[in-house]
């Protein structure tokens, strides 16, 4: 799936996603995440606060994102990701946000990070016939 197809898919699909990360010792965490932002350069970006998922990515750059479409059956995507870089509280981050929050909630949540990943592999939600 090329960058443009992936961008169109996530721009037009509704559903729910989960980002899985692990720390340096391999302890796994899962977090409910919004749809990723597919950037012009082909990277995939997520906005996140500094919680366990972000902490894990400081120790281990690998992650997996599972997206299930809001449709009958089991339609969706699995993305296998490697962290490339991140930025904190930038104009780009705030321009990409799909929701706005009240100022008191923003203050409580603290800084936000825009984390960029390379998509190493994109698979359908269910089966491909290949073995890993």
């Amino acid at each position: 799936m090329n960058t443009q197809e992936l961008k169109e898919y996530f721009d037009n699909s509704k559903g729910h996603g989960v980002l899985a990360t692990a720390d340096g010792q391999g302890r796994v965490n899962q977090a409910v995440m919004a749809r990723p932002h597919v950037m012009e350069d082909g990277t995939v970006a997520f906005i996140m606060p500094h919680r366990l998922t972000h902490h894990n990515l400081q120790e281990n750059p690998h992650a997996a994102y599972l997206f299930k479409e809001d449709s009958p059956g089991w339609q969706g995507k699995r993305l296998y990701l490697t962290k490339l870089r991140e930025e904190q509280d930038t104009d780009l981050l705030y321009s990409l946000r799909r929701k706005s929050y009240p100022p008191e909630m923003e203050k409580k949540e603290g800084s936000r990070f825009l984390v960029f990943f390379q998509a190493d592999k994109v698979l359908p939600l269910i089966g491909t016939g290949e073995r890993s």
Side-chain angles (χ1 to χ4, degrees), residues 4 8 12 20 29 50 61 69 78-79 98 100 106 132:
Q4 187 58 36
E8 288 175 11
N12 297 310
N29 176 59
H50 183 64
E69 293 178 20
R78 293 177 288 155
L79 280 63
R98 295 182 181 111
S100 52
E106 289 285 352
S132 32

Side-chain angles (χ1 to χ4, degrees), residues 19-70:
L19 184 67
T21 59
D23 67 14
Q25 285 72 49
R27 292 179 294 239
V28 179
N29 176 59
Q30 299 170 341
V32 174
M33 299 291 281
R35 292 170 288 144
H37 300 278
V38 181
M39 310 306 287
E40 294 297 322
D41 65 0
T43 58
V44 175
F46 292 93
I47 298 170
M48 62 186 71
H50 183 64
R51 291 192 183 144
L52 187 54
T53 295
H54 184 254
H55 172 79
N56 285 352
L57 289 166
Q58 306 313 298
E59 297 180 9
N60 179 346
H62 301 286
Y65 178 72
L66 181 146
F67 180 78
K68 169 142 182 355
E69 293 178 20
D70 284 341

Side-chain angles (χ1 to χ4, degrees), residues 81-126:
L81 307 166
T82 301
K83 179 185 166 191
L84 299 172
R85 66 186 185 283
E86 66 179 53
E87 43 189 70
Q88 182 178 346
D89 295 323
T90 60
D91 289 340
L92 176 59
L93 182 156
Y94 289 105
S95 73
L96 291 173
R97 288 179 79 175
R98 295 182 181 111
K99 290 183 183 177
S100 52
Y101 299 92
E104 62 275 5
M105 189 172 172
E106 289 285 352
K107 186 175 181 181
K108 180 181 170 189
E109 288 290 322
S111 291
R112 297 281 177 175
F113 297 85
L114 181 60
V115 183
F116 295 88
F117 296 88
Q118 168 185 307
D120 300 317
K121 188 186 289 188
V122 178
L123 298 175
L125 183 60
I126 300 293

